[in-house]
Amino acid sequence: MAEPIVCDTSVWLYTGRLGHADLLPHLYDPIYTTETVCQELDMGRLSRLETVDPRTLSWVQVVQPTPQAIASLPANRLGAGEQSVLAYAQLHSLTLVGLDDRQARDLAQQLGLRMIGTVGVLLKAKEAGVLIAVQPLLAQLQQEGFYISKELYAYALQKAKED
């Protein structure tokens, strides 16, 4: 049985730019994102029309935490999308969030949440047999401006058995 996930902007942005946002329903159920995240993606669509809109995907539930839930997060400097994802997950006892930002991941860990980033989603998809290879997608991510450290790149190739 697949587990639920709440995804932040970067996971949508980069899986979408790879043409693989459709990986998510093969790996998670249900899939949540917040209206705040959708609004951030709307801004991205101003410069790149192909930016994914989760509102149009039948397998995504667009939700929004209460302002009180967001205010109850520990003090942080995160963006509104990241805060909304963490607050919604915490408010609804969801344990997995899709995040790439280091500070957001640190706060998720502090809140007792598990996290997976874009590279982790690709690895999970390869493991599940949904993707044939991750190396070309990692290279494409880098071309799209997504930072992957040399260590993470090497780890991902090793984990995918593509080294």
Side-chain angles (χ1 to χ4, degrees), residues 29-75:
D29 185 43
I31 299 164
Y32 300 100
T33 199
T34 67
E35 179 58 31
T36 304
V37 165
C38 290
Q39 291 168 5
E40 289 180 353
L41 291 164
D42 291 343
M43 296 304 294
R45 207 168 302 103
L46 295 175
S47 61
R48 289 191 64 171
L49 294 176
E50 75 275 13
T51 299
V52 68
D53 184 352
R55 296 179 199 99
T56 67
L57 304 173
S58 63
W59 38 268
V60 177
Q61 295 181 43
V62 178
V63 296
Q64 188 65 21
T66 64
Q68 295 84 357
I70 294 171
S72 73
L73 291 172

Side-chain angles (χ1 to χ4, degrees), residues 69-78 83 86-87 90 107-108 110-111:
I70 294 171
S72 73
L73 291 172
N76 64 77
R77 294 181 152 187
L78 301 179
Q83 288 183 15
L86 294 172
Q90 190 174 42
L107 183 55
Q110 182 183 336
L111 295 171

